[in-house]
């Protein structure tokens, strides 16, 4: 008898549904995973849901276990935590993280799942992909003890970066966001907060994650001479204008990109993608990161939740999807 599961599909931009899918029998080096939670990535997934991935980025933006093609129909997502039901003895019964879309059960190579440390609750482990992005960003940024740093943009990625920076010795971190509600998240993470107009200047480093032209412009303004902005935002098909003709050159500012698709050149000779993800999961033992999970819905409601999330009607950081009350 063919086993089945249920998966979230984007049929076309702005339209989605839960559909039944057939599951293959797991092979000798594969695992069958029953999903416990997935996370919705506000930045990338809402761009995919809205059909805003530029055609020249279709290949670069493919998720590891994506099915279908942009703009749709496509099965997309990469923040999945579940329990191994079948597979190698060392993994059966283990809670694991996988870069898999929103689906009740799935079969993948055993090498594609990473065991979640016992110190990390399954519901928090959905943040692993975002914390991994933050780890890579800090490898790129190379902050030093005592640095004055701003993180502009208090979304999932920005808050994850701020949370990790709060652990650096002597570093003064300020989270900058236009939403005053982010002040509560900043307090939970142990960092300062300011709206853009009141942000502290003379920063050695600014990490930008607001995905707005205004946020990137403000990031450059907050730098000291010879300071660096590390750009984490992905703008989809939007064009961004910057004031590079003012004091950009005379102040010798640096603007550099960071992207999680490749391991930072600062560590690529000694760290793999698997090493980076395992480190992110270890860092999730910190309960302060629970502040990034700001909403939860059952899987069956995801087709109705995603449009609200994409429009901003549902103002969540990480919106967690719960699978315990749906059929496999």
């Amino acid at each position: 008898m063919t086993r089945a599961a249920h998966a979230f599909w984007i049929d076309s931009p702005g339209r989605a549904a839960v559909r039944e899918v057939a599951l293959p029998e797991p092979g000798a080096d594969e695992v069958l995973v029953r999903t416990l939670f997935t996370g919705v990535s506000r930045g990338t997934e809402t761009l995919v849901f809205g059909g805003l991935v530029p055609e020249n980025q279709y290949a670069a933006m493919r998720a590891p276990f994506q099915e279908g093609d942009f703009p749709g129909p496509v099965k997309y997502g990469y923040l999945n935590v579940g329990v191994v039901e079948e597979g190698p003895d060392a993994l059966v019964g283990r809670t694991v993280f996988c870069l898999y879309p929103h689906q009740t059960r799935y079969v993948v190579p055993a090498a594609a799942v990473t065991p979640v440390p016992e110190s990390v609750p399954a519901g928090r482990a959905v943040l692993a992909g975002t914390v991994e992005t933050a780890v890579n960003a800090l490898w790129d940024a190379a902050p030093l003890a005592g640095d004055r740093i701003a993180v502009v943009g208090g979304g999932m990625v920005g808050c994850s970066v701020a949370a990790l920076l709060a652990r650096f010795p002597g570093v003064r971190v300020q989270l900058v966001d236009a939403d005053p509600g982010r002040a509560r998240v900043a307090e939970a993470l142990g960092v300062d907060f300011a709206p853009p107009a009141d942000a502290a200047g003379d920063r050695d480093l600014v990490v930008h994650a607001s995905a707005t032209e205004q946020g990137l412009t403000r990031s450059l303004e907050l730098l000291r001479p010879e300071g660096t902005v590390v750009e984490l935002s992905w703008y989809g098909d939007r064009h961004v204008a910057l004031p590079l003709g003012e004091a950009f050159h005379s102040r010798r500012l640096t603007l550099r990109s960071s992207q999680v698709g490749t391991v930072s050149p600062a560590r690529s000779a000694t760290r793999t993608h698997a090493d980076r993800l395992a480190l992110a999961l270890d860092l999730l033992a910190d309960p302060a990161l629970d502040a990034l999970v700001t909403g939860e819905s059952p899987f069956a409601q995801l087709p109705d939740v995603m449009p609200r999330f994409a429009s901003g009607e549902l103002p969540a950081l990480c919106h967690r999807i719960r699978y315990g009350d749906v059929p496999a």
Side-chain angles (χ1 to χ4, degrees):
M1 180 181 297
T2 302
R3 287 188 282 192
H6 291 84
F8 173 77
W9 278 81
I10 298 169
D11 293 331
S12 61
R15 296 179 61 251
V18 170
R19 305 202 180 283
E20 186 174 287
V21 294
L23 285 183
E25 288 294 324
D29 296 317
E30 293 183 318
V31 290
L32 171 65
V33 180
R34 172 173 54 86
T35 303
L36 299 174
F37 299 100
T38 56
V40 179
S41 169
R42 184 180 191 88
T44 304
E45 284 197 66
T46 57
L47 287 171
V48 171
F49 179 72
L52 300 176
V53 178
E55 188 171 349
N56 63 9
Q57 292 298 301
Y58 281 3
M61 284 298 299
R62 285 194 70 87
F65 294 101
Q66 174 180 324
E67 293 183 34
D69 298 297
F70 303 123
V74 62
K75 184 174 76 175
Y76 195 86
Y78 47 82
L79 301 173
N80 189 302
V81 177
V83 174
V84 176
E85 294 190 321
E86 297 179 25
D89 291 342
L91 288 174
V92 172
R94 293 291 303 272
T95 300
V96 295
F97 177 86
C98 185
L99 297 168
Y100 203 86
H102 308 279
Q103 185 166 310
T104 55
R105 277 188 172 87
Y106 55 92
V107 174
V108 293
V113 302
T114 303
V116 175
E118 292 183 3
S119 59
V120 179
R124 191 188 304 154
V126 296
L127 298 169
T130 309
V131 173
E132 183 184 8
T133 300
V135 167
N136 207 58
L138 295 186
W139 284 348
D140 282 331
L144 300 176
D147 273 358
R148 295 161 296 185
I149 302 175
V151 178
V152 176
M156 273 182 77
V157 172
C159 285
S160 295
V161 170
L164 299 191
L165 284 170
R167 303 164 181 242
F168 277 66
V171 165
R172 286 169 284 175
V173 185
Q174 187 172 71
L175 182 66
V176 179
D177 198 276
D179 180 359
R182 294 289 187 261
R184 293 188 297 275
V185 179
E187 182 179 10
L189 298 177
V191 300
D192 191 17
F193 174 82
D198 299 331
D202 202 32
R203 303 293 92 183
D204 301 293
L205 170 68
V206 177
V207 179
H208 179 242
S210 81
T212 67
E213 181 178 304
Q214 296 86 349
L216 183 51
T217 298
R218 186 64 175 134
S219 296
L220 291 169
E221 294 170 349
L222 296 178
L223 288 175
R224 63 161 172 80
E226 300 188 357
T228 297
V229 170
V230 173
E231 173 62 283
L232 289 181
S233 302
W234 192 70
Y235 298 89
D237 58 2
R238 289 177 290 150
H239 292 274
V240 176
L242 291 176
L244 301 184
E246 298 178 1
F248 181 79
H249 289 284
S250 63
R251 298 176 65 219
R252 298 182 60 85
L253 304 181
T254 297
L255 173 62
R256 63 169 302 178
S257 65
S258 179
Q259 206 273 339
V260 74
T262 57
V263 174
S264 167
R267 293 292 180 272
S268 59
T270 58
R271 302 291 192 279
T272 65
H273 286 83
D275 294 331
R276 191 179 62 186
L277 179 56
L279 173 59
L281 282 163
D282 285 340
L283 292 170
L284 280 165
D286 186 351
L289 289 161
D290 284 332
L292 304 189
V293 180
T294 53
E296 184 175 287
S297 301
F299 172 66
Q301 294 180 9
L302 186 52
D304 298 319
V305 166
M306 188 65 83
R308 297 172 59 210
F309 197 60
S311 70
E313 178 189 343
L314 198 61
L317 286 174
C318 175
H319 195 83
R320 188 165 58 200
I321 304 302
R322 182 180 68 251
Y323 287 74
D325 52 358
V326 294

